[in-house]
Amino acid sequence: MTNRTFTMIKPDATLKGNTGGILDMINKAGFRIVAMKMMHLSAEKAGEFYGVHKERAFYGELVEFMSRGAITAAILEKENAVEDFRKLIGATNPAQAEEGTIRKKYATSIGENAVHGSDSDENAQIEGDFFFSKLEQF
Ligand code: CMP
């Protein structure tokens, strides 16, 4: 299970038509998609997913943003998936993201940063299970 991570392509990227480009970068970096779905989150669901950030000043803005348009949720498999995927997406703030990363190419701000990536194996499992039943994880 430690070779899996969870990602979401966020509404900013969906609305700009960047879903295919981001999936292409993910595939080219050697990740295998083992679950995937596109959906429009309600504010309630987005708030539940980001519940750990409830006390943060940006929580309201984050919930509004994440329920603004469709997202693509996916579980990805690769050796050292969590760490390697965080390298591929780059820093939360795109201004600090390195050349060649997904956020450098597609994100516009710290809030509207195109993609999410799990920060630990434990959270990858929790986040993947939030979106996908056992039958939907291949
Ligand atoms: P993500 O990696 O999905 O995890 C938490 C999200 O909160 C983060 O990406 C950003 O979209 C958002 N976020 C983090 N810090 C800020 C901030 N200072 N202002 C607005 N949104 C933020």
Side-chain angles (χ1 to χ4, degrees):
M1 207 53 235
T2 54
N3 290 335
R4 289 188 170 198
T5 191
F6 171 80
T7 187
M8 247 194 297
I9 298 173
K10 299 186 181 185
D12 58 328
T14 308
L15 294 166
K16 286 185 211 155
N18 291 330
T19 305
I22 291 172
L23 289 174
D24 188 48
M25 283 181 81
I26 290 172
N27 276 149
K28 286 195 170 121
F31 292 88
R32 204 163 68 85
I33 296 166
V34 294
M36 186 163 75
K37 63 172 74 159
M38 196 167 183
M39 62 197 296
H40 193 145
L41 295 174
S42 63
E44 190 191 354
K45 272 285 167 205
E48 197 183 324
F49 181 83
Y50 281 114
V52 291
H53 296 304
K54 213 174 190 131
E55 306 307 324
R56 309 288 282 274
F58 59 79
Y59 180 70
E61 190 186 318
L62 177 60
V63 168
E64 183 282 319
F65 163 60
M66 288 302 299
S67 54
R68 188 186 298 162
I71 59 98
T72 299
I75 298 174
L76 307 174
E77 191 170 73
K78 183 186 182 294
E79 215 172 279
N80 203 31
V82 167
E83 199 184 325
D84 285 2
F85 192 67
R86 286 179 76 80
K87 276 189 203 142
L88 176 65
I89 65 178
T92 306
N93 184 346
Q96 285 154 18
E98 282 180 39
E99 211 56 60
T101 62
I102 293 175
R103 283 172 172 160
K104 178 74 180 180
K105 187 162 185 192
Y106 292 113
T108 47
S109 69
I110 193 164
E112 307 203 0
N113 61 3
V115 276
H116 167 79
S118 305
D119 62 4
S120 66
D121 288 342
E122 190 193 359
N123 283 337
Q125 178 82 55
I126 293 168
E127 293 170 0
D129 290 345
F130 183 89
F131 282 96
F132 301 99
S133 73
K134 288 263 179 293
L135 282 173
E136 295 170 315
Q137 302 184 27
F138 299 99

